[in-house]
Amino acid sequence: MGRVTDTHAAPTPSSFAEEFLDELHFELGVSRETASPTDLYVALARAVRRHLVEGWFDTLSTQLGGDSKFVAYLSAEYLLGRQLENALLATGLTEVARDALDGLGLSLDELSEQEVEPGLGNGGLGRLAACFIDSLATMDVPAVGYGIRYEYGIFRQTFVDGRQVEQADDWLALGSPWEIPHPEMAVTVGFGGHTEEPAGTGEGTADGAPGPDARQWVPGWTVEAVPYNYLVPGYGTRNVNTLRLWSARATKAFNLEIFNSGDYEAAVRGQTYAENISKVLYPEDSTPQGKELRLQQQYFFVAASLADTIARALGDGDLHALPDRVVFQLNDTHPVIAIPEMMRLLVDVHGLGWDEAWDLTRRSFNYTCHTLLPEALEIWSVDLLGRLLPRHLEIIYRINEEFLASLRDSGGNELQVRRMSIIQEQPERAVRMAYLATVGSTKVNGVAALHSQLLRDAVLHDFSDLWPEKFTNVTNGITPRRFVRLANPGLSALLDETVGTGWVKDLDQLRGLEAHAEDPEFRRGFRDVKAANKQRLVDLLATRDGLHLPTDALYDVMVKRLHEYKRQMLKVLHVVTLYDQVRSGALDPADVTPRVVVFGAKAAPGYRMAKDIIALVNAVAATIDADPALAGRLQIAFPANYNVTLAEKLIPAADLSEQISLAGKEASGTGNMKFALNGALTIGTLDGANVEIRDLVGDDNFFLFGMTEPEAEALGQAGYDPGSFYEQDPALKSAIDLIASGAFSHGDPTAFESIVSDLLWKDRFMVLADYRAYLDAQSRVEAAYADPDAWTRSAILNVARSGFFSSDRSIRDYLDRIWHAPAVPARSNGLRD
Ligand code: 26V
């Protein structure tokens, strides 16, 4: 029969092999003999994708057929990680595919290695979006993820002389088997131009007359947004949701006009300009620059997604039903321009009155804030907004006017009114997107209990006083499918044996492990898994990075974006201190707990200090490697290009999880959860979700250190003087002096001068103030690690008690507290009935 996939019958290795060869021969047009490894991978991926399609159709017809409410998750980033293994897991085809490939003399594991992960995100925020769409699909919630199909994702990191060098991430170069483009469904998105009195042709009103508050936006130029669908399979369900990413394409009319005028070069330039919009992911930076292209990206995907959502949720139905049919979740401020865009659609296009439109808009939107750092809060200059989106600026002005008037009406004083204005006046007039989001949403949430509290107390204090019921918390989570079931097959098998297989969808079942924490047999099994994961990592880093690492050591892992607030410097100072003490004879190498310190981190390309810190880590690593006294005792491994794929190998091998940000700075963290669930113990501050991890796993099973948020705040208020900590702690002084002496830079004392002087004179994130407490906590780690039985018990309890951090639980919280969108299990329609 050949090319038609009979998805009704369960595939066998031989039927699957046939599908695979069909793809290879008839779709890719290569023979088995001439196929490259990438061809083989692409054919495999496409064969697997076939088995998602029927469930996807069923999901679409079930969801669109009824009157269910659906979640539209708006996110500029999705850090998906590799797709193949996840799709195999969801379809239950892993073993079938393995056998089929075996029969053809091919290896599933080798083909899987060909996949270049779609790195369409910077870090935690993008990865969270990816975990959430996995949970939504698994829980049968009607949901669409909307975002941007960046042609280049997060840059690829290499090191040259220890310094970070960025390379373009050409992830689409070798084919992209997971996406389904729909050029015929392109949406036109306007930019620039001007606004005017509307002519008498309101599109959406019954009589064609413009609505009472309508204005006419006449864009200066347009681009087309082409949707690319990605299938998001739920685990253990028929449900397959959609991730819809938009790609920019020049409008034909636009090009043709210029083309016909005879200016070929200008036509091509126009095309390039338009298509630049989805060209590259912005790497988060030390300062959010007011980049025009970034605002274009934001509006581009938001406008296309809203048009798509309204068509999908309402069809020709009644706009007044909007809040009952769809709920928009704004993933940080990046998509907040959706609020004025919705107002424009309702008021200008569909002719609704302003008040009614505002009511519908507010009832449809919710906003998640992901930061506490003031410099990470987006603002857009009025000047830029007025040029790029003139109608939206008018709408924002009116939203603000009415909001401020209501404040004054209810007795707000002028100071308060100015503080809460959506428009900031100094140093330039600009729109505060977090405020716009807060005013235009039903609910505002932070991403961990402490973070949500600090939002209420500090960042959005005035708003929380005004609307206390608007504020809520949803603690982040991570998908157990990717980060335990796939990343840690050894642990997964042990869990299956011990508590059954239900944990993959119901992570609270891990509680059942507690009863086994005292069982020597179980502990041995658990330790064997960790040892095997270390071996797997050591093998990988040997081939991937040419590193030679021992397996028999404490794996101390710090992986996350490089940022001063995360305090990689504190970890560096710890390592430098150990090295310094051995070097000076104060510490016998035989007394050093054998330890491999693993770093993984990308620095934003424009973030000087972060890049200097990377260079320092690599320099310290090289110096320690060259010192025979520390051989087998202390080593730094800093594999380049940390990404989701590497995380999946690193995290299961870790003994110790470094979560050492200054209290009050890390909104949540999600790596912290991944480590705990994979049986690492945390050394951490009371920051972000660390607080909840410690509450759950128990303070005996967590190495706490450092100032609390109020203590750090008070120290800042009192006038923090890092120099005094340096003067008063000889070990600290000696470690910093060693860096300053050029000991890690071939005697060049200037190499790390910027780091040293920042630490001594500024130290905005109070590394020196927490140094001593951190070293003491590390001594407690060493003592605990010396007792393998007790350590293993703690590690088991970390796993047993971390079920709360499943992203399924986060989604349940969003559903209960914010979305109120019931699950709708996909009904089988039968592809060929
Ligand atoms: C952006 C910027 C831009 C310039 C200044 C420094 C800076 C610092 C951080 C950011 C990222 C803001 C958004 C973000 O990625 N937040 C992360 O969201 C995760 C998921 O909720 C959370 O676990 C992390 O704690 C939070 O940093």
Side-chain angles (χ1 to χ4, degrees), residues 218-239:
V218 184
W221 52 284
T222 59
V223 290
E224 295 208 339
V226 178
Y228 283 66
N229 288 333
Y230 290 72
L231 312 192
V232 185
Y235 173 85
T237 167
R238 202 173 177 73
N239 198 59

Side-chain angles (χ1 to χ4, degrees), residues 125 284-286 332 370 375-376 447 476 563 565 666-669:
L125 172 138
E284 83 186 25
D285 227 315
S286 50
D332 218 290
H370 292 266
E375 68 268 38
V447 289
N476 283 167
H563 204 291
Y565 83 81
E666 187 72 272
S668 162

Side-chain angles (χ1 to χ4, degrees), residues 71-74 327-331 366-368 445 814 818-819:
V71 178
Y73 197 80
L74 300 180
V327 54
F328 292 99
Q329 191 65 37
L330 301 166
N331 197 27
N366 302 286
Y367 160 55
T368 306
N445 75 286
Y814 276 100
I818 303 176
W819 297 338

Side-chain angles (χ1 to χ4, degrees), residues 77 122-129 132 283-289 294 331-332 334 368-377 446-448 451 476 563 565-566 607 665-673 688-689 764:
E77 303 189 6
N122 269 292
L125 172 138
R127 184 54 236 175
L128 186 76
F132 280 4
E284 83 186 25
D285 227 315
S286 50
T287 51
Q289 311 115 318
R294 194 175 174 120
N331 197 27
D332 218 290
H334 317 142
T368 306
C369 176
H370 292 266
T371 192
L372 283 161
L373 299 184
E375 68 268 38
L377 293 171
V447 289
H451 175 234
N476 283 167
H563 204 291
Y565 83 81
K566 295 178 187 281
Y607 188 176
K665 302 297 175 195
E666 187 72 272
S668 162
T670 43
N672 47 4
M673 303 169 185
R764 187 176 155 211

